[in-house]
């Protein structure tokens, strides 16, 4: 499908492109929606092979940000930027050129960290534009979003437990966590405190060993963890690992984790539904980091951020209630709730 058609079908507002021969910058900013507020989304630094591939990624990711902000009650829209370059090509001059590109949109898009970018890069960008968010705590920012993402996942799991078992207690529940990176290792710590039994897996064996010795977690090989006998399977690694074959091997009652797009295809949500496995839609349960950054934009207060991240429980309760009512998957229910908020904002904006 060509880019115009994708944008028209998915409802994107803008796709803006910038090049700077002096620094080698090749960047794209996709703005899906500014209906609820300025579009916010990370900047991905990646060696895309073609312009089309980079633009399609930016468009897809920006739409997901709109839905994530909408369903979590944030007054933010959805945007995403990509810088097309190889890791060795990142220079302060290139980042500043990107910052000027962001600045030229006068606040329609606010940039943040994503794959291939660091907080230090963000500081460089902030030197030329105020439209950047997600700074270290020492700079008055909200710091690394991962602990808050993990907290949000824990809160979301409570709603899942209540829905599936009638009690939100983690005692005597077994949670299998795939991926012990920035989010996963925070999550297993929280789950341990809640009294959950843990099964963990990571490609990095040392991370598994640490969890086994510190949290009495059982370990499993990365290619088998999805088949762990557990109550909750928590994908906290890369997206797309839950394909139809992996789904057929799940032995859990709930899938709830931080990974973006954990399902190989959105349609696979129906396979989970048919197997009576409760799925917490990714963009509802993994929004803790985004909520944290949104709090930074209002003047960061950790307690306030934690209170808002606690709202993820209630959000998922709403999603499951809607799914039950309308006999659809939780993913479809979440989409409907997000789209309704957007439609309301659109109606309010169009006036008499
Ligand atoms: P990370 O890169 O710090 O950690 C990922 C971990 O997964 C690594 O330890 C890696 O070795 C492991 N891994 C990769 N493939 C694996 C496999 N097949 N089996 C087992 N382990 C595997 O990433 P992160 O920041 O912890 O994010 C994890 C997921 O959550 C990603 O999908 C990310 O997009 C999503 N997410 C993160 C945040 C955040 O605040 N960091 C917010 C929202 C969503």
């Amino acid at each position: 499908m060509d880019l115009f058609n994708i944008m028209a079908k998915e409802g994107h507002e803008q796709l803006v492109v910038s090049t700077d021969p002096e620094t080698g910058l090749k960047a794209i900013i996709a703005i899906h929606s500014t209906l609820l507020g300025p579009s916010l989304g990370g900047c991905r630094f990646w060696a895309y092979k073609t312009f089309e591939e980079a633009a399609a990624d930016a468009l897809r990711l920006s739409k997901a940000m709109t839905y994530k902000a909408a369903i979590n009650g944030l007054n933010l829209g959805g945007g995403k930027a990509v810088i097309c370059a190889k890791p060795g090509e990142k220079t302060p001059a290139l980042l500043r050129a990107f910052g000027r590109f962001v600045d030229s949109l006068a606040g329609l898009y606010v940039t943040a960290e994503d794959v291939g970018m660091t907080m230090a890069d963000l500081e460089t960008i902030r030197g030329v534009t105020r439209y950047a968010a997600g700074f270290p705590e020492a700079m008055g920012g909200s710091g690394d979003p991962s602990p808050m993402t993990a907290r949000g996942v824990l809160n979301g799991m409570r709603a899942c437990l209540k829905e599936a078992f009638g009690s939100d207690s983690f005692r005597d529940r077994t949670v299998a966590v795939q991926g012990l990176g920035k989010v996963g290792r925070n999550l297993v710590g929280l789950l341990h405190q809640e009294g959950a039994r843990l099964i963990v897996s990571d490609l990095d064996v040392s991370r598994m060993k640490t969890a086994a010795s510190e949290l009495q977690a059982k370990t499993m090989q990365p290619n088998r963890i999805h088949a762990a006998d557990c109550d909750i399977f928590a994908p906290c690694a890369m997206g797309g690992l839950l394909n139809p074959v992996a789904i057929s091997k799940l032995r859990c009652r709930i899938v709830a984790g931080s990974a973006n797009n954990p399902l190989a295809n959105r349609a696979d949500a129906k396979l989970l539904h048919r197997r009576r496995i409760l799925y917490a839609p990714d963009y509802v349960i993994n929004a803790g980091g985004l909520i944290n950054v949104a709090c930074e934009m209002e003047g960061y207060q950790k307690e306030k951020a934690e209170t808002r991240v606690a709202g993820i429980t209630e959000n998922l309760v709403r999603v499951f209630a809607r799914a039950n009512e309308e006999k659809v998957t939780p993913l479809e229910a979440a989409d409907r709730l997000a789209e309704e908020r957007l439609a309301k904002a659109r109606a309010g904006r169009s006036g008499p």
Side-chain angles (χ1 to χ4, degrees), residues 266-289:
R266 281 174 59 87
D268 295 339
K270 289 210 165 73
L271 297 180
L272 290 170
H273 203 55
R274 259 181 247 139
R275 289 205 54 206
R276 296 183 44 77
I277 294 172
L278 185 68
Y279 174 59
D282 53 351
Y283 66 85
V284 187
I285 195 166
N286 74 12

Side-chain angles (χ1 to χ4, degrees), residues 68 145-146 149 178-184 201-204 207 222 236-238 241 258-260 286:
K68 196 186 267 201
S146 313
T149 301
Q178 178 185 47
L180 297 170
K182 295 192 289 290
V183 180
S201 190
D202 198 290
L203 297 177
D204 181 338
R207 293 184 174 174
C236 297
M238 303 301 117
L241 295 176
S258 73
N260 279 314
N286 74 12

Side-chain angles (χ1 to χ4, degrees), residues 4-220:
F4 270 138
N5 283 340
I6 295 178
M7 289 180 70
K9 182 168 171 271
E10 307 290 343
H12 290 84
E13 291 176 9
Q14 292 194 50
L15 185 71
V16 198
V17 182
S18 178
T19 60
D20 179 49
E22 230 167 82
T23 60
L25 178 75
K26 288 186 212 149
I28 302 172
I29 295 175
I31 298 177
H32 178 259
S33 172
T34 53
L35 264 175
L36 300 173
S39 70
L40 175 79
C43 172
R44 189 162 283 198
F45 194 99
W46 198 253
Y48 293 97
K49 288 199 181 69
T50 63
F51 169 77
E52 284 73 19
E53 190 193 329
D57 210 24
L59 288 171
R60 181 179 62 83
L61 294 165
S62 68
K63 183 175 179 188
M65 292 305 295
T66 298
Y67 278 55
K68 196 186 267 201
I71 198 155
N72 285 289
L74 301 173
N75 292 325
L76 289 172
K80 204 87 185 183
V82 297
I83 297 178
C84 310
K86 299 192 185 94
E89 293 169 345
K90 195 196 276 176
T91 61
L94 180 138
L95 292 171
R96 280 194 295 274
F98 172 70
R100 287 192 294 276
F101 176 33
V102 172
D103 204 61
S104 72
L105 296 173
L108 278 180
Y109 168 69
V110 180
T111 199
E113 204 182 319
D114 197 272
V115 176
M117 295 286 281
T118 65
M119 273 197 198
D121 296 337
L122 216 59
E123 283 179 54
T124 306
I125 292 167
R126 183 63 181 250
V128 291
T129 181
R130 60 195 172 100
Y131 304 118
F135 290 98
E137 281 161 295
M139 287 176 70
S142 53
D144 176 8
S146 313
M148 211 57 105
T149 301
R151 188 160 285 285
V153 172
L154 184 88
N155 295 335
M157 283 178 173
R158 285 189 210 289
C160 296
L161 287 171
K162 183 89 181 152
E163 175 74 11
F165 301 113
S167 157
D168 65 3
S169 168
F170 285 92
R171 290 240 156 252
D172 296 324
R173 294 285 169 211
T174 302
V175 186
V177 180
Q178 178 185 47
L180 297 170
K182 295 192 289 290
V183 180
R185 63 172 167 263
N186 279 292
L187 180 63
V188 289
L190 295 171
L191 287 166
H192 181 69
Q193 281 168 20
E194 293 288 329
R197 284 190 291 256
L198 293 166
I199 307 175
V200 298
S201 190
D202 198 290
L203 297 177
D204 181 338
V205 177
S206 67
R207 293 184 174 174
M208 285 204 273
K209 281 190 179 151
T210 306
S213 70
E214 290 178 2
L215 310 173
Q216 295 84 51
K218 281 190 192 159
T219 59
M220 255 176 109

